[in-house]
Amino acid sequence: MSESIIEHFIQDYQSGFSFYLKLASYAETRCRKALEESGIPAVITSRAKNPERLLVKLRQRNTEKNYQSTDEISHDLADLIGVRLALYFPDQEKQIEGIMHRAFHIKDLKRHDKTLVAVENKAFQTDALQTSIVQTEGPYTARFHGYRATHFRVKVRSEEFGESPDPRFEQTMIEVQVASLLMHAWSEVNHDLAYKTLNGQLSKDELRMLDGINGLVLTGEVLLGQLKASVEARIATQKRHFSNHFELGSFIQQYAPYQPLRPGSTYRMGSLSDLLYVTRHLGIDNPEALGERLECWSAKSANLKKYPVVQSILDFIFAEYDRRTPPTMERPFLQAELNDNFQSGSPTPEQGLTVYRHILAHTFDGDLLLPTGGDGSMVCFPESYQWLSDAYFLVADVQFDFSSDEQLKEFEQRTKELWDWLATSSNARVRVAFGVARAKAGNQGICLDEAVQVE
């Protein structure tokens, strides 16, 4: 009976294997984006469980479980889809829980700390989830802690798949394993030798060597922590530009260090790619120039409690530039040189609207104004936004022509209303989205020459 149930489950799994591969790829991409935005370097991989290996596993587990239905098998398996986050720096593991909460629905969390426990003629590999027995030639007492990691069992957020998503997306469990890159490598060797060996029991010498390698891994993790501190010190004193958002993230955390999760804690780094983009556009993407601003920003203790951190920093930077030059429609960019060129060109109404349209399109085209882009709250847009959106005016790469002077004046009025709403908003997310858009439009050369070409 159980064997036929297992075979039926495997047949169903194979027929839907493309779905599992798709979901695994989505989960990997979601994790990759989340870690990159938080400045956490890692090797990220995913897989859907191989059907042949799954069949072997189910037959082994069936001796204990005695499956009576395919539903029992489904509930018993949490790792049909797996994602592995192999972190460069072990001390960043404590930040992952908050990131997982934002990226997925967490259904379970297990902190693994396996240790070999010696008994006569056997060595038990134990952790919070299971107990496995490895036959040995004699008692062996491990000196090191063995496998240490955090496993998350999560489900995706169905709302990210639009209307009428495949119900399997939110029903299927995904296991996300988080450990250091060194620990994952040791775990692979240990698991394949201790659990998948087909050539008899492990010898005492083999267990001793695995234990010794684990000790080297733990030592390596300590050295990686020291390496991270050394890298941060070097970045803080270098003269050159930040080469990537990982360097930028390391520099930021010297001013806004990660705060361990606690009741009510909402620590979040935010989009480092946006910050890197803006600082490069403004020519302040180096420790000296950005450090001066971060000193002023962090001097106000309230800023250190505003999350996401990057949003708070960008809002501070944009406020500095807006004090010098308010973001009027006469001076729509962040850089003074671009604004001077815009004004000296005496733009026609059509040319001006082309520039404004690109800036507005960038403002509403990203994630910053979505609930996932800030504090989770919704932003209520003014009526002018809906009017311009319905007219397809907020799509930068669509050519737009005005059929009459009356239509042109109507669009000018609606654009001014939306621009004024953005420029005077009391919402930090709105101000930051508007500032990033002004940087993007300026960086992409959306000035009078391009406006003439578009129109």
Side-chain angles (χ1 to χ4, degrees):
M1 177 67 176
S2 293
E3 182 63 23
S4 63
I5 292 172
I6 291 173
E7 291 177 354
H8 184 249
F9 181 88
I10 293 296
Q11 289 175 358
D12 288 345
Y13 180 69
Q14 288 177 317
S15 65
F17 194 59
S18 61
F19 160 77
Y20 291 101
L21 289 174
K22 180 180 179 181
L23 185 54
S25 177
Y26 167 81
E28 177 185 340
T29 300
R30 190 75 180 85
C31 289
R32 188 181 308 281
K33 180 180 179 182
L35 265 65
E36 286 180 351
E37 291 296 329
S38 298
I40 299 178
V43 174
I44 303 174
T45 56
S46 65
R47 61 101 180 102
K49 208 166 190 67
N50 181 284
E52 294 180 358
R53 293 182 180 179
L54 178 58
L55 177 59
V56 173
K57 177 178 180 177
L58 288 178
R59 284 172 172 167
Q60 291 174 340
R61 293 175 72 88
N62 189 50
T63 58
E64 175 188 349
K65 301 289 185 177
N66 190 25
Y67 297 121
Q68 297 300 306
S69 69
T70 55
D71 286 341
E72 283 189 18
I73 297 177
S74 296
H75 288 121
D76 187 43
L77 296 175
D79 63 344
L80 287 178
I81 296 175
V83 180
R84 175 170 290 174
L85 311 183
L87 308 181
Y88 286 16
F89 303 114
D91 65 345
Q92 291 184 316
E93 184 178 337
K94 57 183 178 289
Q95 300 181 44
I96 300 298
E97 184 175 345
I99 293 173
M100 289 293 106
H101 271 293
R102 292 187 295 274
F104 303 99
H105 292 298
I106 296 181
K107 300 301 180 180
D108 193 18
L109 184 156
K110 298 290 183 182
R111 303 193 190 281
H112 293 246
D113 192 352
K114 295 183 178 180
T115 306
L116 285 170
V117 182
V119 296
E120 186 176 358
N121 296 322
K122 295 180 180 179
F124 287 80
Q125 184 92 25
T126 65
D127 64 16
L129 291 180
Q130 61 187 4
T131 299
S132 302
I133 301 175
V134 181
Q135 296 291 337
T136 71
E137 293 180 349
Y140 177 74
T141 302
R143 296 191 178 190
F144 301 103
H145 293 291
Y147 180 63
R148 292 195 297 187
T150 303
H151 289 189
F152 297 89
R153 291 179 178 177
V154 305
K155 292 184 178 180
V156 300
R157 299 181 181 276
S158 59
E159 58 268 23
E160 296 187 11
F161 294 91
E163 297 182 2
S164 303
D166 187 330
R168 292 179 296 176
F169 279 115
E170 57 182 335
Q171 294 170 358
T172 305
M173 193 76 75
I174 303 168
E175 183 172 77
V176 181
Q177 300 179 356
V178 185
S180 75
L181 184 58
L182 294 179
M183 184 59 71
H184 273 306
W186 178 85
S187 174
E188 282 292 303
V189 175
N190 181 65
H191 185 268
D192 286 353
L193 289 179
Y195 295 102
K196 296 184 179 179
T197 179
L198 300 178
N199 299 313
Q201 63 190 28
L202 294 179
S203 68
K204 192 172 182 179
D205 285 342
E206 289 170 323
L207 283 174
R208 183 181 291 110
M209 284 185 280
L210 283 172
D211 185 33
I213 294 171
N214 182 242
L216 294 175
V217 165
L218 298 176
T219 302
E221 289 186 340
V222 172
L223 293 175
L224 282 172
Q226 184 59 41
L227 175 62
K228 181 173 180 288
S230 179
V231 168
E232 290 173 347
R234 173 180 57 79
I235 292 173
T237 58
Q238 70 184 13
K239 300 295 183 181
R240 64 181 182 84
H241 303 297
F242 298 114
S243 59
N244 54 55
H245 50 271
F246 294 125
E247 285 191 356
L248 178 59
S250 294
F251 185 72
I252 294 296
Q253 287 204 336
Q254 296 181 53
Y255 295 87
Y258 169 75
Q259 302 295 327
L261 285 176
R262 59 185 184 276
S265 174
T266 56
Y267 184 94
R268 180 181 179 186
M269 176 59 75
S271 178
L272 285 166
S273 58
D274 281 341
L275 181 59
L276 185 60
Y277 190 98
V278 169
T279 54
R280 283 176 173 172
H281 176 67
L282 297 175
I284 58 173
D285 58 325
N286 60 79
E288 182 177 359
L290 184 58
E292 291 177 0
R293 289 161 174 83
L294 291 179
E295 287 286 354
C296 297
W297 169 80
S298 61
K300 297 182 179 180
S301 59
N303 286 337
L304 299 175
K305 300 177 182 178
K306 295 178 181 178
Y307 303 130
V309 171
V310 166
Q311 177 178 286
S312 178
I313 294 172
L314 281 172
D315 194 34
F316 183 85
I317 291 173
F318 292 145
E320 172 192 342
Y321 280 79
D322 289 349
R323 281 192 296 271
R324 301 176 192 169
T325 305
T328 63
M329 298 181 76
E330 291 73 28
R331 299 183 70 79
F333 302 108
L334 286 175
Q335 288 186 347
E337 182 180 358
L338 292 176
N339 286 323
D340 291 342
N341 291 339
F342 181 79
Q343 284 189 303
S344 63
S346 301
T348 66
E350 292 89 346
Q351 291 172 336
L353 280 175
T354 297
V355 172
Y356 308 143
R357 181 160 66 94
H358 278 81
I359 294 175
L360 295 178
H362 284 308
T363 301
F364 295 99
D365 190 39
D367 295 335
L368 288 173
L369 293 181
L370 297 175
T372 55
D375 57 10
S377 63
M378 297 293 294
V379 176
C380 296
F381 300 145
E383 187 273 335
S384 55
Y385 163 80
Q386 193 61 54
W387 193 93
L388 291 170
S389 179
D390 290 343
Y392 296 97
F393 187 74
L394 302 181
V395 183
D397 57 356
V398 173
Q399 186 165 337
F400 200 92
D401 296 310
F402 302 100
S403 59
S404 66
D405 289 342
E406 290 74 15
Q407 186 191 43
L408 176 62
K409 290 180 180 178
E410 178 73 4
F411 274 87
E412 283 185 303
Q413 179 61 33
R414 298 286 185 169
T415 300
K416 184 178 185 305
E417 291 173 3
L418 185 55
W419 187 280
D420 290 344
W421 179 80
L422 292 168
T424 60
S425 177
S426 60
N427 188 314
R429 288 169 61 194
V430 173
R431 295 194 300 268
V432 169
F434 189 42
V436 171
R438 292 163 64 206
K440 287 182 177 180
N443 204 45
Q444 293 169 359
I446 306 301
C447 55
L448 290 186
D449 291 338
E450 283 70 19
V452 172
Q453 292 173 9
V454 172
E455 299 297 328

